Every structure is written in C-alpha cells, then in structure tokens.
Amino acid sequence: MPDPELYRHRLGLEAPWTVANVELKVKEQRVDVWAEHSDSLWPCAECGKTLPLYDHAPERSWRHLDSCQFMTYLHARIPRVDCPEHGVRQIRVPWAEPKSRFTILFERLAIDVLKEADVLGAARVLRISWDEAWHIIERAVARGQARKQKRSVRRIGVDEKSAAKGHDYLTIVCDLDEATVEYIGDDRKQDSLDPYFHQLTPEQRDAVEAVAMDMWEPYVRSVNAHLRGAAEKIVFDKFHIIRHLVEAVDRVRRREHRAQAATGDSPLSGTKYLWLYSEENLPEKHRDRFESLRAADLKTARAWALKEVLRALWGYGSRGWAARFFARWYFWATHSRLKPMIEVARMIKRHLANVLTYFTQRVTNAVSEGLNSKIQTIKKRAYGFRNREHFKLAIYFHCGGLDLPGDPCQTRMKRSSWHAGSSPHGRSSE
Ligand SMILES: [Zn+2]
C-alpha cells in the first residue's frame, strides 16, 4: 500500500482524522484514499454542542487535487450526532463543504481555472463535467455573496444588458467606485430595479449619493421611490446620451443611404462603422476617406457633427455655462431638419435637469461601460449558458468582486480548536 502518511499530508488531514487505506489503480490512473477518525465526540453542525457519536452516514467520496496525473478521491463515512435541539445531523468535515463532491482544495483550483477559461475548457482541464463546473461556480458565488461585507455604495450605475437575442434584458447595478456588479435583475422594468433597493438598509439607501443611468422612466420611478432627494442624485450620464446620438446618426445614415442608392451610387456604401467613431478614435487608415465624406454635402455628416459637438457639454466647469451651451446646441439640432437628431435633442431637453446634475455629482457610467464590455466577453465565451441564470451567475463570478475561494466552513474550523488538534470538542457555537 502507498504510504498513508504521505496521503494524509497531501489531503491536509489532521487529528482526529487519519488515513486508513490507500489504493493506487495505475491502469485507471486513479488513487483512492479512505479517511477514518478516532474520536467519538463531535460538535453539532448547527449549534456546536459537543455530542457523542451517534452513527455514520453511508460512505461518500470527494474529488481531490490530482496526484501527478492520478485522479485522487477521498472516501469517508461522515459521523452523525443526535442533537437534542437539531436531531440527527452529519458533522462538518474539515476538507469539504456540505453537499460538495470536491475537497476545498480542489474547488479552489477549479475556481482559479474557471476564472481564466470558459466553462467548457475549464471542465476539460479539470476533468469534471459541465454540470459540476457550474455547481462549483454556483457555490463560489453563494459563498462570496454570503460573506460580502455589508458596506455602503456611494455611487451606483444602472444599466440594461440584453441577455439574449431579441428583447430579453437584464438590469445591472454596479458600484462605480469599486467597479463591481452589485445586483442583477430580470428585464428592465421598475420592478427589475426595486429589489436592489429593498435589500439595502435605510442607512445604505441614504448613503447612495449618485445614480448614473439612462433616460429610462421605469428606472427613474424606482430611484424616486427609494432614495430621498433622488432629483439631485439621478444623473443621465454622458455615455448613455452619446449612445442615443450615435444611434440617431445611424438612422440618418440609413435613410440617406437608401435615398442615394435609389438614384445611383451612394457615397455612404460601407461607411456604417466610420460614423460610429468619435473624432479622436477614428483609425488613421480611414482618415482620408472620412475627411472627404465630411466635406461632401451629406446629412449624415451634419448629424455626426451634431453628436461630436455635444460631447463638449461635459467639459464645462459649471452647470450654468453647460446649460447655455446646451441651449445653443439644442437650437442648432432642432433646426437641422434631421428628424432622428431632433427627436434625441428633445429627449435630452426633457431630461436636462438630470443631465446637468453631472456638474454637482461628476459621475459617469464609464465604469459600467467597462464592465459591460467584460460582460459582453463573458456572453461571447459562454456558448452554452443554456439559461439566463447561468449567465447571471457568470457575471457575478467574474465581475462581482466576490471573495470566491474563501470558505466559511474552513474559517470556522480553524477558529475552533479541534482543527488544531488539541481538543475535538472545544468548538463554540456561532
Ligand atoms: Zn445542534
């Protein structure tokens, strides 16, 4: 038999647990290790009360870190105690979480691999199933959320994200200072956002100083219903406003292109992406072509210029100057005879008070834009979420700022004395 002491060490087993038996199966590339214990007194998993051994649950096994390429499994029968308060219960074992089929060390490695690779790739590397990989993610997120500190978030960003093709949305709330996703709701209605506020304490709600978001009435209603002084806190941010303008420019381009194409060659053929750039981000190789398009007498070029000019709004030092600048821009936009631009200009004007709150709050959704592209990558990589709950889990896993490998069970065990081996019965109740 391979050296039990070596495997005891590899598995990190401490008194009262020892290794009873090790079986090496070379052909199957597998090692099986059986753990046993000497003590007969155990703490109840619920209340910590020290109780005599009642019996054992049937044998279970846990996948552990491979030994070389050998898949390694730990087997044990978990002791049960008969607690006067909680009845017959399994005790907590120090190497795994309740209901997990993996040891804590294996889960830790799996989490690291899952952070770096897509689920399918990670499952292949770890030699676990797709479902097992998702279970690990699910438990890691639940654990991370349970131990997340109840801190206050000062500045939040609210954004919608399409979850699939068509009109299937998620509402995402992020902490703009920490760049973490704090909450995900289904759809983009008022009651998509309400639950975020419901889970905050009154103090946490009062701590919210600014909410950056799109001009979207259901979100406005939700913030108004839950935050005091919402009128000063809501900021319709630059990124969303520019996005509306970019879309309007594209609508102008499509109409103009159709009209031009009907009478011959359209100079707008193949130019869709050129108009999406802001001036300074236009790649050098497109610059000549773009300049000649701008010089031509095109509605699309005028629409694009309107969009570019409004970006200066956020460069002003004060609300008053910004308001005067907007008034001039608004006059220009509404006299442009470009219907999509006029519509957006009017929408901005209707919401202007909470566009200009920027000058007291100085908040933009740049952070959630960054998170958005991270979420986009998660979505692309995950051909195979199979459902939106998986998509949400993956967002929390990668963007939640959660302490994922942290294991409350392990921490509790370490604090109790029995893990240290001095006495198996000193665990205080928590
Ligand atoms: Zn108990």
Side-chain angles (χ1 to χ4, degrees):
M1 177 170 90
D3 182 8
E5 182 54 23
L6 173 72
Y7 284 91
R8 189 194 66 72
H9 188 73
R10 276 197 59 102
L11 285 154
L13 292 183
E14 300 201 17
W17 291 96
T18 52
V19 168
N21 190 23
V22 182
E23 253 182 60
L24 182 65
K25 293 170 189 147
V26 175
K27 237 189 231 157
E28 296 168 46
Q29 294 217 338
R30 162 176 181 136
V31 188
D32 289 275
V33 182
W34 280 265
E36 65 174 16
H37 65 85
S38 52
D39 282 278
S40 57
L41 285 172
W42 301 91
C44 166
E46 291 291 325
C47 64
K49 188 174 164 61
T50 300
L51 297 157
L53 176 70
Y54 177 72
D55 67 353
H56 287 91
E59 182 178 299
R60 286 191 44 198
S61 38
W62 295 264
R63 170 90 182 273
H64 187 60
L65 297 172
D66 295 356
S67 317
C68 298
Q69 322 80 316
F70 291 77
M71 304 230 277
T72 303
Y73 290 87
L74 172 64
H75 306 265
R77 298 182 62 194
I78 300 182
R80 303 202 303 171
V81 292
D82 187 4
C83 175
E85 196 180 335
H86 299 100
V88 176
R89 289 291 178 100
Q90 292 188 9
I91 62 122
R92 279 177 184 272
V93 291
W95 59 79
E97 278 187 80
K99 297 195 176 91
S100 173
R101 280 137 71 184
F102 306 97
T103 66
I104 287 163
L105 289 173
F106 184 91
E107 285 214 24
R108 232 171 242 186
L109 171 73
I111 287 166
D112 287 340
V113 174
L114 283 159
K115 272 189 197 158
E116 300 300 323
D118 62 84
V119 175
L120 224 54
R124 206 174 298 135
V125 170
L126 294 161
R127 293 190 280 178
I128 59 178
S129 72
W130 195 86
D131 282 328
E132 286 172 332
W134 276 109
H135 282 145
I136 289 173
I137 291 174
E138 199 176 334
R139 272 197 307 276
V141 167
R143 210 159 49 220
Q145 284 176 332
R147 38 163 40 198
K148 190 164 187 173
Q149 280 183 350
K150 292 285 170 216
R151 63 193 168 82
S152 293
V153 178
R154 281 177 48 238
R155 309 191 303 162
I156 62 175
V158 181
D159 212 346
E160 63 180 46
K161 185 83 204 154
S162 74
K165 285 201 177 99
H167 298 285
D168 189 13
Y169 290 97
L170 296 176
T171 291
I172 295 179
V173 177
C174 64
D175 177 337
L176 294 175
D177 293 305
E178 297 292 324
T180 51
V181 170
E182 296 295 303
Y183 163 86
I184 306 171
D186 290 315
D187 217 323
R188 49 170 184 170
K189 298 184 291 208
Q190 179 176 346
D191 58 17
S192 310
L193 181 56
D194 285 347
Y196 170 71
F197 293 112
H198 294 163
Q199 42 109 34
L200 300 181
T201 63
E203 294 74 32
Q204 284 174 320
R205 284 192 212 182
D206 282 342
V208 177
E209 293 168 13
V211 187
M213 62 184 195
D214 196 5
M215 300 168 280
W216 182 245
E217 294 312 318
Y219 291 164
V220 174
R221 282 199 298 275
S222 181
V223 175
N224 279 330
H226 295 97
L227 296 188
R228 278 192 283 190
E232 278 306 307
K233 294 178 176 175
I234 293 173
V235 181
F236 297 126
D237 71 288
K238 178 178 178 179
F239 284 84
H240 280 109
I241 289 170
I242 299 297
R243 200 189 293 165
H244 284 292
L245 284 167
V246 167
E247 285 164 9
V249 172
D250 197 52
R251 283 198 293 278
V252 172
R253 180 197 58 82
R254 284 206 306 265
R255 279 181 205 189
E256 188 172 32
H257 176 57
R258 257 201 311 274
Q260 297 257 4
T263 60
D265 279 351
S266 166
L268 290 164
S269 285
T271 64
K272 173 173 179 175
Y273 292 97
L274 293 182
W275 303 104
L276 300 181
Y277 289 106
S278 56
E279 188 153 23
E280 68 276 12
N281 290 334
L282 185 75
E284 200 51 47
K285 59 180 175 183
H286 298 314
R287 205 161 276 280
D288 287 346
R289 173 142 192 243
F290 192 69
E291 286 310 320
S292 64
L293 280 168
R294 274 178 73 183
D297 184 21
L298 289 168
K299 290 176 181 169
T300 309
R302 280 196 289 128
W304 180 86
L306 269 167
K307 183 258 291 182
E308 281 300 292
V309 167
L310 189 68
R311 292 168 66 217
L313 180 82
W314 291 271
Y316 279 90
S318 78
R319 195 177 184 130
W321 283 108
R324 277 186 280 277
F325 170 80
F326 180 80
R328 283 198 307 278
W329 181 86
Y330 181 76
F331 182 84
W332 178 28
T334 48
H335 289 77
S336 67
R337 283 170 284 119
L338 303 168
K339 197 165 167 247
M341 303 309 284
I342 294 170
E343 283 165 4
V344 176
R346 288 192 178 138
M347 175 166 70
I348 300 170
K349 177 146 189 194
R350 275 201 307 280
H351 295 91
L352 190 63
N354 286 91
V355 175
L356 298 178
T357 42
Y358 170 79
F359 294 94
T360 44
Q361 301 290 1
R362 298 278 164 186
V363 67
T364 77
N365 244 338
V367 162
S368 59
E369 289 293 306
L371 281 173
N372 246 326
S373 67
K374 209 166 156 186
I375 292 168
Q376 201 55 36
T377 311
I378 294 170
K379 196 167 146 186
K380 268 191 217 143
R381 242 171 34 175
Y383 42 87
F385 278 121
R386 295 191 196 167
N387 63 46
R388 62 155 58 205
E389 292 312 310
H390 278 159
F391 184 36
K392 284 153 78 174
L393 268 178
I395 295 172
Y396 281 127
F397 186 79
H398 291 283
C399 310
L402 301 173
D403 178 13
L404 296 170
D407 168 57
C409 169
Q410 181 83 329
T411 322
R412 254 200 307 281
M413 290 301 170
K414 269 190 186 136
R415 258 187 276 130
S416 75
S417 51
W418 78 285
H419 186 84
S422 56
S423 151
H425 320 306
R427 186 169 168 257
S428 61
S429 60
E430 294 178 350

